């Protein structure tokens, strides 16, 4: 146990990530999520839906000249990560993603049975 | 951001907002034009002996609408970010991304050559590379 502790600590530091800003909009057909992930090329974006957890992860890859020294850094970590819990009425199997110029658009439709229906209320 | 949910759905985003507000309040600006954190676009600045490199993290912007200007040793990056407006019947649950006009200003070192500027936009990042003047570059002096 004590042997693994320093290794674990290291991996936690390596894993530090920025929290990308998102917009989440819901309408009758489902949820649309936009996330800002500037600096992430398409092949370094990782999206994962596992059970009801959606994970967005991206590695920043900037072209930098050799020997560059940073004098001011606001984007100070090389990756983004954000995790969301999906609710049951969303159809996690039909998530559609678009990624353009650092903006991710995810469309998560609602499952058929969860589409809104008008419920008639009868007065007895 | 005046109207806020009383019951935030996402604790992490609330903490992020708190952190941003604290940084805005207490950040000690290093320059009169205040490279302050939390603005849009976020910026990284670095340099090599040959050039000054500026990275502006401005995702989802048509590069043709970005204005990049160097005047009297001051670099200005300005533009507008338009986001699709939500339909009336839609509910906005989280609204964190920047929208609207922006302008950020960076004071450049004295030894840059304002005529040797290269700007590229890739993956939502604007990279501006400004060469340093030839005369300002370090030279090895041979001893006779």
């Amino acid at each position: 146990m004590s042997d693994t502790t320093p290794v674990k600590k290291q991996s936690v530091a390596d894993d530090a990530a920025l929290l990308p800003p998102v917009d989440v909009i819901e309408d009758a057909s489902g949820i649309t999520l936009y996330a800002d992930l500037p600096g992430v090329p398409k092949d370094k974006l990782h999206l994962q839906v596992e059970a009801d957890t959606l994970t967005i992860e991206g590695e920043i890859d900037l072209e930098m000249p050799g020997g560059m020294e940073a004098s001011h850094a606001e984007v100070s970590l090389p990756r983004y990560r954000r995790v969301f819990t999906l609710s049951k009425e969303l159809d996690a199997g039909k998530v559609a993603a678009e990624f353009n110029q650092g903006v991710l658009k995810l469309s998560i439709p609602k499952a058929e049975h969860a589409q809104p229906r008008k419920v008639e209320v009868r007065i007895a | 951001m005046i109207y806020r949910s009383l019951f935030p759905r996402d604790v992490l985003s609330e903490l992020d907002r708190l952190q941003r507000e604290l940084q805005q309040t207490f950040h000690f600006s290093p320059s009169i034009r205040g490279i302050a954190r939390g603005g849009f676009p976020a910026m990284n600045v670095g340099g090599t002996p040959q050039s000054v490199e500026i990275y502006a993290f401005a995702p989802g912007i048509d590069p043709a609408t970005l204005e990049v200007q160097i005047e009297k040793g001051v670099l200005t990056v300005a533009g507008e970010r338009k986001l699709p407006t939500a339909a009336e019947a839609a509910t906005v649950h989280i609204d964190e991304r920047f929208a609207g006009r922006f302008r950020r200003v960076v004071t450049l070192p004295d030894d840059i050559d304002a005529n040797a500027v290269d700007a590229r936009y890739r993956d939502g990042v604007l990279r501006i590379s400004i060469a340093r003047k030839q005369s300002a570059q370090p030279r090895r002096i041979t001893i006779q």
Side-chain angles (χ1 to χ4, degrees):
Chain A
M1 189 71 201
S2 61
D3 282 348
T4 59
T5 311
V7 177
K8 206 176 176 189
K9 243 183 200 166
Q10 176 86 39
S11 77
V12 168
D14 285 348
D15 259 343
L18 298 164
L19 196 68
V22 299
D23 286 353
V24 176
I25 298 150
E26 177 170 7
D27 61 19
S29 61
I31 278 185
T32 310
L33 181 149
Y34 296 91
D36 283 351
L37 303 156
V40 178
K42 266 200 175 105
D43 57 315
K44 293 207 170 159
L45 173 75
H46 304 290
L47 295 170
Q48 202 184 7
V49 182
E50 206 184 308
D52 60 348
T53 306
L54 165 72
T55 308
I56 300 167
E57 238 178 331
E59 300 263 342
I60 300 176
D61 185 10
L62 299 177
E63 279 173 47
M64 284 189 212
M68 191 180 88
E69 275 177 45
S71 55
H72 174 82
E74 290 168 2
V75 178
S76 51
L77 293 169
R79 67 181 67 77
Y80 301 98
R81 187 186 311 109
R82 196 146 177 186
V83 179
F84 294 92
T85 305
L86 302 175
S87 59
K88 280 206 184 75
E89 79 275 14
L90 296 172
D91 193 343
K94 287 190 187 154
V95 179
E98 283 171 49
F99 190 48
N100 265 317
Q101 295 293 22
V103 176
L104 170 71
K105 180 186 177 186
L106 277 185
S107 307
I108 314 164
K110 284 183 189 169
E112 287 296 318
H113 62 84
Q115 299 274 357
R117 271 168 300 176
K118 267 210 174 139
V119 178
E120 262 181 58
V121 181
R122 264 182 247 174
I123 303 160
Chain B
M1 291 289 277
I2 299 165
Y3 302 102
R4 277 193 198 113
S5 162
L6 280 173
F7 304 101
R9 280 153 215 267
D10 187 336
V11 177
L12 284 175
S13 81
E14 278 298 290
L15 285 174
D16 191 43
R17 180 183 64 75
L18 271 176
Q19 192 187 11
R20 256 178 297 184
E21 284 187 3
L22 282 172
Q23 275 173 347
Q24 268 170 21
T25 316
F26 297 114
H27 184 68
F28 181 73
S29 292
S31 123
I32 191 130
R33 293 196 179 82
I35 297 182
R37 275 154 203 280
F40 184 92
M43 280 189 165
N44 282 9
V45 182
T48 67
Q50 290 85 38
S51 66
V52 176
E53 308 284 335
I54 293 131
Y55 298 87
F57 294 77
I61 289 170
D62 176 6
T65 65
L66 274 169
E67 280 169 51
V68 180
Q69 206 179 15
I70 297 178
E71 202 188 342
K72 290 179 186 145
V74 173
L75 170 81
T76 308
V77 177
E80 186 172 9
R81 190 186 195 207
K82 288 179 190 150
L83 298 182
T85 44
E88 233 167 80
T91 313
V92 177
H93 293 299
I94 307 178
D95 176 20
E96 296 167 348
R97 294 163 70 230
F98 176 89
R101 292 200 64 82
F102 59 85
R103 169 180 291 270
R104 282 204 78 178
V105 176
V106 176
T107 311
L108 296 169
D110 297 332
D111 60 352
I112 55 116
D113 182 353
N115 298 313
V117 184
D118 179 46
R120 285 152 202 267
Y121 187 74
R122 203 196 77 178
D123 297 331
V125 177
L126 172 69
R127 175 189 170 187
I128 303 162
S129 184
I130 310 166
R132 291 186 198 268
K133 282 184 197 135
Q134 212 67 38
S135 59
Q137 286 184 18
R139 267 176 305 170
R140 177 177 277 269
I141 294 154
T142 42
I143 300 157
Q144 304 288 321

